[in-house]
Amino acid sequence: MASRTADDLADEGDATPTQRLADLADYRADLRAVCERAGPSSRWPEVFGPLGVVLEAKDLPVKLLTDLLSAFEQDVVKVSYADRAELLDYCSRSANPVGRLLLHLH
């Protein structure tokens, strides 16, 4: 649910790119708060309450989650890729973290 919510912030609805990036920055701050065992904002309790439990129980690498956020932020500002290297860089922060997170969970 954490990555789905962040992805929706990046590309669903009618928000402007500026608002999308601001929302993703807030989301990143809440992720940081949970990782530091501090209280996140009250904006996404259905995400960060359960995520805190799973992060600790499964010892998930936080870098995989921050990589995903980086890809979602890129989705807001970049719509095409000049070459394979650019696309692979994007995939290293989008598809790859999803697969690695699933390996940690199972």
Side-chain angles (χ1 to χ4, degrees):
M1 176 179 268
S3 60
R4 175 78 267 143
T5 301
D7 187 40
D8 288 349
L9 291 172
D11 57 27
E12 294 295 322
D14 298 324
T16 65
T18 300
Q19 183 59 52
R20 291 178 191 284
L21 291 173
D23 289 342
L24 287 166
D26 291 345
Y27 201 85
R28 183 182 292 276
D30 278 356
L31 175 60
R32 188 178 310 112
V34 166
C35 292
E36 295 170 357
R37 292 187 173 89
S41 74
S42 61
R43 189 164 176 191
W44 298 283
E46 70 284 356
V47 172
F48 290 106
L51 181 60
V53 173
V54 173
L55 280 170
E56 190 169 325
K58 299 292 186 173
D59 196 28
L60 295 180
V62 175
K63 174 138 177 39
L64 297 176
L65 297 171
T66 59
D67 283 351
L68 276 172
L69 282 176
S70 170
F72 298 149
E73 290 161 343
Q74 185 171 321
D75 286 342
V76 174
V77 297
K78 188 171 184 75
V79 295
S80 65
Y81 296 90
D83 56 31
R84 180 179 169 93
E86 277 191 3
L87 180 61
L88 290 176
D89 173 65
Y90 172 75
C91 289
S92 74
R93 291 174 290 110
S94 58
N96 294 2
V98 170
R100 291 181 61 208
L101 284 165
L102 287 173
L103 289 172
H104 279 278
L105 291 170
H106 298 287

